[in-house]
Amino acid sequence: MTRNWFITGTSSGFGRILTEKLLARGDRVTATLRKPGPLDDLVARHPDMLHVALLDVTDTAAVRRAVDEAFARMGRIDVVVNNAGYGLFGAAEEVTDEQIGHQIATNIVGSIDVIRAALPHMRAQGGGRILQVSSAGGQLAHPGFSLYHTTKWGIEGFVEAVALEVAPFGIDFTIVEPGATKTKFGEGLVMPKPMPAYDDTPVGAMRRGAGGTPFGVQGDAEKSVDAIIASMDASPAPRRLVLGGSAYTRIREALQKRLAELEAQKETAFSVDADS
């Protein structure tokens, strides 16, 4: 079964690999990126199957135009993939106001805008799937990634609520949660000027990780993209798709700890209910 896709953030990493694999299997793709060039080779090989559009997801009006034009051009889009995003690494008081604003504008607001622009079209066509690329960091937290986690926890909450709103229209959501994977994510990390006060803290320890990246990389990007594509045939659509052994292990540990903390508060929680 061939599908039509709209994918943001396709210059490298998951977005680029996903675009390559979909074209190879005969799917049609509208791929967006911020700067021209990275997909020229794919356009040359698949001129009738791939359309490339320049898009900065922090530009709300541009997002709406790009999504509207893609639906008009393709007639129907079966899958929208929110993949554009990047990491901001630094202690909360190290990062600048500008860095905070851009991280939120890209990772949360940009994803929200793409989803909101796609929903009317998907309602009109009777359904579709939206894949929101999040992270294992959407369910757990590491020191130094407070703003990045803000965006991932935030977009996951948004998707959870919107999925309930649009389920009657046949629109499904899957939140993709990869762990540390061999992509260019580490190279794209934005890091503010370090404060000496954090040198001997968990943030400093993370900063001194191998090659300047905060943690070891275990996941395979090609295998991860294969799992993403395979998830499209699952019915019902999985609400979350955890990718990588480290992601599974760390998310499981985080959830178990949170559940244990919740259970320990059961008596207190019920004690404040109003008397009947």
Side-chain angles (χ1 to χ4, degrees):
M1 177 181 178
T2 59
R3 298 183 175 94
N4 293 337
W5 299 66
F6 178 91
I7 310 171
T8 67
T10 58
S11 61
S12 64
F14 284 154
R16 162 78 192 209
I17 297 170
L18 180 59
T19 300
E20 289 181 9
K21 287 180 176 289
L22 293 175
L23 293 171
R25 70 195 295 267
D27 288 3
R28 298 171 63 210
V29 180
T30 292
T32 78
L33 31 67
R34 290 187 300 114
K35 298 178 181 179
L39 298 184
D40 287 353
D41 60 318
L42 295 182
V43 173
R45 296 205 303 268
H46 306 278
D48 299 326
M49 306 300 289
L50 173 63
H51 177 82
V52 176
L54 296 182
L55 176 64
D56 184 337
V57 296
T58 66
D59 185 337
T60 298
V63 168
R64 291 172 180 164
R65 285 195 302 271
V67 172
D68 289 348
E69 290 171 1
F71 272 93
R73 183 186 316 106
M74 303 181 87
R76 174 186 176 90
I77 294 179
D78 303 291
V79 193
V80 170
V81 183
N82 254 334
N83 178 64
Y86 69 98
L88 173 60
F89 175 76
E93 62 175 320
E94 291 177 335
V95 296
T96 68
D97 294 346
E98 291 76 17
Q99 289 170 337
I100 292 172
H102 194 264
Q103 176 84 138
I104 291 173
T106 303
N107 290 14
I108 295 188
V109 180
S111 291
I112 289 172
D113 285 343
V114 170
I115 291 170
R116 294 183 68 239
L119 289 180
H121 298 285
M122 287 190 162
R123 280 195 295 104
Q125 69 186 21
R129 178 84 64 88
I130 296 177
L131 301 182
Q132 176 62 54
V133 179
S134 178
S135 162
Q139 295 205 66
L140 50 82
H142 295 287
F145 278 99
S146 56
L147 270 302
Y148 179 74
H149 288 306
T150 296
T151 63
K152 294 307 181 182
W153 285 59
I155 196 60
E156 292 204 13
F158 176 81
V159 167
E160 286 279 8
V162 176
L164 299 175
E165 297 171 359
V166 300
F169 306 120
I171 303 172
D172 297 318
F173 281 83
T174 295
I175 301 169
V176 182
E177 296 180 326
T181 306
K182 294 178 181 179
T183 66
K184 293 185 178 180
F185 177 82
E187 296 176 20
L189 279 180
V190 173
M191 298 186 184
K193 182 179 179 180
M195 294 174 59
Y198 285 92
D199 287 349
D200 296 324
T201 70
V203 174
M206 292 281 279
R207 188 179 284 119
R208 290 187 295 273
T213 55
F215 37 69
V217 175
Q218 297 177 333
D220 182 281
E222 297 274 346
K223 292 180 179 179
S224 295
V225 170
D226 288 339
I228 292 171
I229 295 173
S231 75
M232 288 303 305
D233 294 324
S235 182
R239 179 56 49 82
R240 282 179 169 79
L241 181 65
V242 177
L243 299 174
S246 65
Y248 175 87
T249 299
R250 290 171 178 170
I251 290 174
R252 187 170 185 271
E253 290 173 352
L255 293 178
Q256 287 178 323
K257 181 178 180 180
R258 288 165 60 191
L259 182 59
E261 292 172 345
L262 175 65
E263 292 295 345
Q265 296 179 20
K266 180 177 180 181
E267 183 176 346
T268 300
F270 278 90
S271 72
V272 301
D273 286 350
D275 295 332
S276 56

